[in-house]
Amino acid sequence: MTCTNCGTENKPGRKFCASCGVALSVSCPVCGAANEPTDRFCGECGTPLAPGAAANERAAPVAERRLVSILFMDLVGFTAASESRDAEDVRDLLSRYFDVARTVVGRYGGTIEKFIGDAVMAVWGTPITREDDAERAVRTALELVAAIPVLGTEAGVDGLAARAGVATGETAVTLDAEGQGMVAGDIVNTASRVQSAAPPGGVFVTEATRHATDAAIAYEEAGPHELKGKSEPLTLHHALRVVALRGGQLRSTGLESPFVGRERELQLLLDTLERVQGERAPARHDRRGPGDRQEPAHF
């Protein structure tokens, strides 16, 4: 038997090389078959021979190209507000902001990719792909930017606002990744640049996103924008409001008036819907006072 380490010819039946002491064969712990020392898996039954061999095989990242929608959002005026506030108050505000982001992104089936300072990046299209991923991303952006002023008022931060950008396109997706590292490619940079071009309280989207969502979302053209890192200007669109159900169902053919002055009521409805879905029980509005006798509910 020839030693794979030093090339010495050894007598049949030897387990270790007479010249360098290296094992001449490795016995499979399952079937007992002899294998070369460099083999990672048994040639007879496929059992891993080296410790961690199977784990290493599974650790190799699996990537493929997918159509995704990326949402970037950050706070406007947060840095200035942080300078005059206690560090614990700032941390509490950020925690509440991130909680709102997680809730809304999750409500629309998205995945938080990462938090960067006061910025949020979320993705639709991985690990689950849906036909209306782009629309879900824009609906999320609109709801989040509407929620931030309310959050600022509750926290005593006047003028707190958010701006968001949504970009849609093909990119490389790591299928078994969780959280940061799921998505890579130019579409991520594009979404970030689109967000930076949006006004406070506004949501800008790319042409591909508008094309995929304009059946349910009302837009106005924002014109061409020179974005950092882009060789040519990109035409962006300002998402105004939701005007139909998913995919444009029940969209009015007449005048589409904006929903004004009912932000708190709308948020209450959304929160109630989420609670009902989570608890799997109908919501009940109790008009009794604190001293009134509580009667059992009958459904």
Side-chain angles (χ1 to χ4, degrees):
M1 183 175 292
T2 302
C3 176
T4 58
N5 183 53
C6 67
T8 300
E9 288 291 338
N10 291 270
K11 295 180 180 180
R14 290 189 66 93
K15 295 182 178 180
F16 297 91
C17 176
S19 179
C20 66
V22 170
L24 296 176
S25 64
V26 177
S27 297
C28 175
V30 174
C31 68
N35 294 270
E36 294 293 327
T38 55
D39 291 347
R40 300 176 64 197
F41 295 87
C42 176
E44 189 70 26
C45 67
T47 298
L49 300 176
N56 290 337
E57 289 296 316
R58 291 193 297 268
V62 179
E64 69 177 29
R65 296 186 66 85
R66 283 194 180 186
L67 182 67
V68 301
S69 290
I70 305 290
L71 162 66
F72 256 94
M73 185 183 77
D74 74 351
L75 297 179
V76 181
F78 177 73
T79 302
S82 300
E83 292 179 350
S84 58
R85 295 177 65 85
D86 183 78
E88 292 187 0
D89 293 336
V90 173
R91 182 184 62 182
D92 180 65
L93 176 59
L94 275 179
S95 297
R96 295 173 63 185
Y97 162 57
F98 292 150
D99 287 342
V100 170
R102 289 190 189 94
T103 298
V104 178
V105 169
R107 178 182 298 154
Y108 288 97
T111 301
I112 297 289
E113 217 270 359
K114 55 189 166 187
F115 294 115
I116 315 170
D118 63 345
V120 176
M121 175 184 168
V123 59
W124 284 257
T126 183
I128 299 174
T129 300
R130 306 177 182 86
E131 293 184 357
D132 61 340
D133 281 326
E135 183 181 322
R136 289 169 178 263
V138 178
R139 286 176 178 267
T140 301
L142 288 169
E143 187 170 328
L144 280 176
V145 297
I148 298 307
V150 177
L151 178 63
T153 300
E154 294 174 350
V157 182
D158 295 332
L160 187 66
R163 58 186 177 188
V166 181
T168 301
E170 279 195 351
T171 190
V173 172
T174 304
L175 300 182
D176 54 354
E178 294 183 5
Q180 189 167 344
M182 296 174 61
V183 182
D186 181 64
I187 194 67
V188 177
N189 297 327
T190 299
S192 176
R193 302 306 182 194
V194 171
Q195 169 262 317
S196 64
V203 178
F204 274 9
V205 308
T206 59
E207 178 67 27
T209 304
R210 183 207 62 80
H211 180 73
T213 62
D214 60 1
I217 311 293
Y219 289 98
E220 65 178 10
E221 188 171 328
H225 283 70
E226 297 277 355
L227 301 180
K228 184 178 180 181
K230 294 295 179 182
S231 58
E232 297 181 359
L234 289 184
T235 298
L236 303 181
H237 302 269
H238 190 179
L240 301 178
R241 57 189 176 275
V242 177
V243 294
L245 300 181
R246 188 177 66 177
Q249 298 179 54
L250 302 182
R251 179 164 183 168
S252 172
T253 57
L255 180 65
E256 294 173 345
S257 57
F259 195 66
V260 178
R262 291 293 183 270
E263 289 81 6
R264 290 183 177 275
E265 288 80 359
L266 179 60
Q267 189 61 50
L268 176 61
L269 288 173
L270 292 172
D271 291 342
T272 302
L273 174 61
E274 184 175 358
R275 186 171 65 253
V276 167
Q277 290 175 332
E279 297 176 355
R280 292 187 170 275
R284 185 180 65 221
H285 182 64
D286 195 346
R287 295 182 178 274
R288 288 182 293 271
D292 293 342
R293 181 172 178 268
Q294 181 84 15
E295 295 293 341
H298 299 281
F299 301 110

